[in-house]
Structure formats: C-alpha cells, structure tokens
Amino acid sequence: MENVDLSACPICSSLNIEDNEDFLQDLKCSIKTYPKNELIIHQGDVCDALYMLTQGSVKTEMITENGSLLGIEIIKAPRPLAPAFLFSDNNHFPVDVTTLEDVEIMRIPKDEIMRLMMTNPDFMKQFLKHNSNRTQFLTNRLQLLSIKTIKGKLAHFLLEQITADEKSFTMNRNQTELADFFGVARPSLARSLSEMVQQGIISINKKEYTILDMKRLREQLV
Amino acid sequence: MENVDLSACPICSSLNIEDNEDFLQDLKCSIKTYPKNELIIHQGDVCDALYMLTQGSVKTEMITENGSLLGIEIIKAPRPLAPAFLFSDNNHFPVDVTTLEDVEIMRIPKDEIMRLMMTNPDFMKQFLKHNSNRTQFLTNRLQLLSIKTIKGKLAHFLLEQITADEKSFTMNRNQTELADFFGVARPSLARSLSEMVQQGIISINKKEYTILDMKRLREQLV
DNA sequence: ATAAAAGTGTAACAACTGTTACACTTTAAA
DNA sequence: TTTAAAGTGTAACAGTTGTTACACTTTTAT
C-alpha cells in the first residue's frame, strides 16, 4: 500500500503520528483496494466500522423509492465515508458508493474509533467537527432540493462555486450527473442551461462555466 | 422552573444524577422561557452553545433563497436543538425555530458540553448517537424531497406513519404545514389529497388519516 | 356568544418539467 | 486508429404543479 497522508484527513490530522506504518499496525484495521467504476457499498449495508477512503475518489448516490437516482457528493481521499452513521440506532449506509478511480479503503472497527476518542480529545473534537460539517452539507443539499425551478437550482449551485473575483470554474460533473444531483431529468436541465446561455447569463465551454450576468443570475432565485 | 425529566432526554439520560437541582447548579447554564408562537431563533444566528428544550415544543423551518418556507420538524421537550451545529466550522443555525406552546430553554456553554464528554463516556456515546440519528433524519428528509410527485411524497410519508396492524394515525400538521414539509404549494397538496380520497386510497376525518388501499398507495411511489 | 382568524375545498389557467426520440459530438477503449 | 460508448442539443407533447381567487368551515380569542 502507498503511504497515507493523514495530515490531510479531516478527522485524523490531530493524530500526531511519527510513523504512519507503526500507527497502522497498532490500529486494528484492514485495507482493501477496488478497481474503477465499481459499486462497493450498497444503500442499506450495515455500517459497523469506519470506512476511511485513503486513496482515490468515489461518488455517493441515493436510490429513491420510485427507483430514480439522487446524486449526493463526490468524495476524494483522505476522508471517512458516512462517519455519522457509525453510531446511529439504525446503522445502515444511506447511499450507494461507487468508485470513480482505483481506490483504497481502510476499515477501522467501531471499538477502535471509540478508543481513539477516549484517549485523544483532539481526535474527538475533529470527529465531532467533521460530522457537524457533514450535517451542514446535508442541510445545504436540502435547501438546493427545495428550490422548485431548475434555473433556481442552477443559480444556487453556480453562485456557490464562484468567488468574488473569479467568475469561472471547472465543473466536475457531466450533465447527467448534475441532473441527478439536482434530482431533475437530464433533458430538462439541458433546456434550462441552453436558455440561460442564450439569454447571456452564463457561458459554457466544455467543462468551463462562466457567469456573465450576476444580477440576472440572482434573479433566477426568486 | 419545573423539574426537568432528564431520563427522557436523548443525550442526557446517561447522566446519573440523583438531584437534578444540584446538577443544574454545578452545570454553568442559563434558562429562559418564551411564550407561544414566537420566533426565538433565526436562521443564521450564531450557535455557540447547546440549546436544550426542557419544556414545551417548537417547530423548525428553513427559509429558501426564493423566500419560501421548508418545514423541517416538530421538536418536543426534552431534546437539544441543532446539537450538530455546535462544533461545525460555520456554526450558524440552519433553521428558524418557532415556539408552538410556552417553552423553556436551557443554554449550556460549549465548554461545558466538552467537559461532560471528556468526563463521561456514556454522555459522549449518547451525544454521538443522537447526532447520528439526526443525520439519518436529514437523509430521510432528502429522500422525501427528491420524490418528484406530490402523491409520491404523500405515499412515502403516510407509509412511514402507520404500523403493520394499525392503518390509521393522527396527523400533527395542518395542510399548510404539511405542504411546507413537502416543499409544495398548499392548493396542490389539497388537490392530490382529495384525488386520493376520491379514488378510495385513503380517507380523512379531521386530523385522522386512514389508509384504505395499501396496494394502490404503494403504486403512487412509482 | 360572537367576531376574527385560520384552515380547507375547489376551479381555471399559466408555467414548468418529464418523457421519448433522435441526430450529433466527444471521449474512451480495443 | 478505429469503433463503441458516453455525453450533449433539441424538439413535441403529455403530465404535474403553481398561482390566484373565492366560498365555505372550523377554531380561537375576546
């Protein structure tokens, strides 16, 4: 296995470990690798350990009861997968997890996480903070879904991607994935996009999205 | 103040306290009361302490960018309000909180919560579990919102309320609140409801909802 | 008890989205 | 490099929801 950069991990960076190898031998855990484009966790699977993505990236998506997909997020290593569900009464994964490239996943038993939390206050704080941030992400997701029009969703999403002085960004989703993320049909999204391009509100060049008229983009929210 | 029944609180029941009064004096906290139908926390307010609802009930709702409401949940004492946000990077309340009756709220500083977690492993486990359960609630909320038709949302919601042998239940929301909960317009919800009543799928008597045809209700999900 | 407020039922029409289909372009694999 | 697969643009039409309006019923407050 390759060396894991724990300092970049949102919950492990406080573990001041001089030698990762030693640390990983102390920690009772197992490591597995998976190839690209593989469904590695099914919605509903029992979540009895912490799954840490140590190499590669994955996407998560929820299957709704009518059978359609709802894209949730794209996760890059190092980051834990669904850490919040480890302690819930109904500890099942709420999403499907699919690899986007070759990945490596470390499985850390629940007991070990408990031990780390007890012995390491900083680890506990980080774990709490990370779960808090995940909750914030979910509420933001709720907010996006509750916007009724596709152009409104687009405006919310686009305004989130850009900064004060840079009004372009590179989209990391294709149209199909963006439609799933919004929970709408792909041709409907394409229609809204092309209308906003025709109206001179945005421009699209391959994966490069640029906002041309901030004022009118904001008006789409209303 | 009235005596608080901590044993019913999802995060405090492990605090094996013989005398609540003593415990509450040890704990650095302040208590406030509010009348019925008052907006007591605004979306965006800083969340630098744990707010514990000790008496009464409140509702939470999110204001979306287009100005419309999205009902989130109804909370009854004793339960903490938005405990997950206490530790997040952006520690702001994600919702408006409005009282539904006279309420009493205990404000416990973040430091005190940290202290409790350090000294009391059971408290920590409960805190984690409660936050996990809240996350699960939010993902369920996401799933409901991602269902595209109102009848589909209704089916999802109704099937969740009933049990195997009891196919009636008492609705604790009026139509306006249910419409906000679904993120749809009130007359649209009323239309879907009356159509389902006419088709003999459900019956409604004041606040009493009964499912008459389980099979056809499930079909609405598709 | 009575008035005011809140909640419900319903209708017509506009607006938006979903569905399906197909041509075309781009990307990835053999 | 060639071929297959994936992604994109677009159109017509059906279906669902939103908006607005108003009468009616129920609940709440005085």
Side-chain angles (χ1 to χ4, degrees), chain A residues 27-160:
Chain A
L27 190 71
K28 284 183 193 108
C29 68
S30 53
I31 290 180
K32 267 194 182 178
T33 58
Y34 300 90
K36 185 177 182 175
N37 293 325
E38 189 159 315
L39 177 58
I40 60 175
I41 296 177
H42 298 77
Q43 187 170 334
D45 281 358
V46 171
C47 171
D48 56 346
L50 185 72
Y51 292 87
M52 173 71 75
L53 180 67
T54 49
Q55 294 288 338
S57 60
V58 302
K59 69 174 174 185
T60 61
E61 45 199 13
M62 194 179 276
I63 301 173
T64 65
E65 279 166 300
N66 54 33
S68 69
L69 279 182
L70 176 69
I72 305 292
E73 60 181 327
I74 293 169
I75 300 177
K76 291 179 183 168
R79 233 199 68 187
L81 304 176
F85 290 92
L86 188 48
F87 294 97
S88 68
D89 286 323
N90 171 20
N91 58 338
H92 297 276
F93 274 100
V95 290
D96 277 358
V97 179
T98 307
T99 59
L100 292 176
E101 43 190 323
D102 292 359
V103 305
E104 177 186 274
I105 290 182
M106 190 190 291
R107 181 184 184 282
I108 310 172
K110 190 171 171 176
D111 294 346
E112 285 289 280
I113 299 295
M114 281 304 289
R115 184 177 64 78
L116 281 174
M117 300 243 267
M118 299 303 200
T119 56
N120 195 326
D122 285 336
F123 177 80
M124 186 184 86
K125 280 184 198 167
Q126 277 194 299
F127 191 86
L128 286 168
K129 178 179 274 200
H130 182 70
N131 281 346
S132 285
N133 288 342
R134 300 282 68 224
T135 305
Q136 203 129 49
F137 170 81
L138 283 179
T139 58
N140 189 33
R141 207 76 190 66
L142 269 184
Q143 198 148 0
L144 178 69
L145 280 184
S146 70
I147 297 173
K148 292 186 186 72
T149 65
I150 296 179
K151 287 182 185 175
K153 288 176 208 271
L154 270 170
H156 176 100
F157 179 82
L158 294 173
L159 290 169
E160 225 173 25

Side-chain angles (χ1 to χ4, degrees), chain B residues 94-151:
Chain B
V95 291
D96 278 359
V97 179
T98 307
T99 60
L100 292 176
E101 42 190 324
D102 291 359
V103 304
E104 177 186 273
I105 289 182
M106 190 191 291
R107 182 185 183 280
I108 310 171
K110 188 170 170 175
D111 294 347
E112 285 288 281
I113 298 295
M114 281 304 289
R115 183 177 64 78
L116 281 174
M117 300 243 267
M118 299 302 199
T119 56
N120 194 326
D122 285 334
F123 178 79
M124 186 184 87
K125 279 184 199 167
Q126 278 194 299
F127 191 86
L128 286 168
K129 177 179 276 200
H130 182 69
N131 280 346
S132 285
N133 289 342
R134 302 281 68 224
T135 305
Q136 202 129 51
F137 170 82
L138 284 180
T139 58
N140 190 32
R141 207 77 188 64
L142 269 184
Q143 197 148 2
L144 179 67
L145 280 183
S146 71
I147 297 174
K148 292 187 186 72
T149 65
I150 297 180
K151 288 183 185 174

Side-chain angles (χ1 to χ4, degrees), chain B residues 11 48-52 80-81 83 86 106-109 113 127:
Chain B
I11 69 170
D48 56 347
L50 184 72
Y51 292 88
M52 174 71 76
L81 304 176
L86 188 49
M106 190 191 291
R107 182 185 183 280
I108 310 171
I113 298 295
F127 191 86

Side-chain angles (χ1 to χ4, degrees), chain B residues 33-194:
Chain B
T33 59
Y34 301 90
K36 186 177 182 175
N37 292 326
E38 188 157 316
L39 178 57
I40 58 174
I41 296 177
H42 297 78
Q43 186 170 336
D45 281 358
V46 170
C47 172
D48 56 347
L50 184 72
Y51 292 88
M52 174 71 76
L53 180 67
T54 50
Q55 294 288 338
S57 59
V58 301
K59 68 174 174 184
T60 61
E61 45 198 13
M62 195 179 274
I63 301 172
T64 64
E65 279 166 299
N66 53 34
S68 68
L69 280 182
L70 176 69
I72 305 293
E73 60 180 326
I74 293 169
I75 299 178
K76 292 179 183 167
R79 233 199 67 186
L81 304 176
F85 291 91
L86 188 49
F87 294 96
S88 67
D89 287 323
N90 171 21
N91 58 338
H92 297 275
F93 275 101
V95 291
D96 278 359
V97 179
T98 307
T99 60
L100 292 176
E101 42 190 324
D102 291 359
V103 304
E104 177 186 273
I105 289 182
M106 190 191 291
R107 182 185 183 280
I108 310 171
K110 188 170 170 175
D111 294 347
E112 285 288 281
I113 298 295
M114 281 304 289
R115 183 177 64 78
L116 281 174
M117 300 243 267
M118 299 302 199
T119 56
N120 194 326
D122 285 334
F123 178 79
M124 186 184 87
K125 279 184 199 167
Q126 278 194 299
F127 191 86
L128 286 168
K129 177 179 276 200
H130 182 69
N131 280 346
S132 285
N133 289 342
R134 302 281 68 224
T135 305
Q136 202 129 51
F137 170 82
L138 284 180
T139 58
N140 190 32
R141 207 77 188 64
L142 269 184
Q143 197 148 2
L144 179 67
L145 280 183
S146 71
I147 297 174
K148 292 187 186 72
T149 65
I150 297 180
K151 288 183 185 174
K153 288 178 209 271
L154 270 171
H156 175 100
F157 178 82
L158 294 174
L159 290 170
E160 224 172 28
Q161 308 301 312
I162 60 164
T163 58
D165 48 309
E166 180 53 64
K167 293 181 179 168
S168 296
F169 71 98
T170 303
M171 174 77 78
N172 63 352
R173 294 176 154 88
N174 62 36
Q175 268 192 19
T176 306
E177 290 168 342
L178 190 59
D180 285 342
F181 187 70
F182 286 176
V184 302
R186 202 270 310 165
S188 303
L189 174 63
R191 171 173 46 205
S192 293
L193 277 172
S194 72

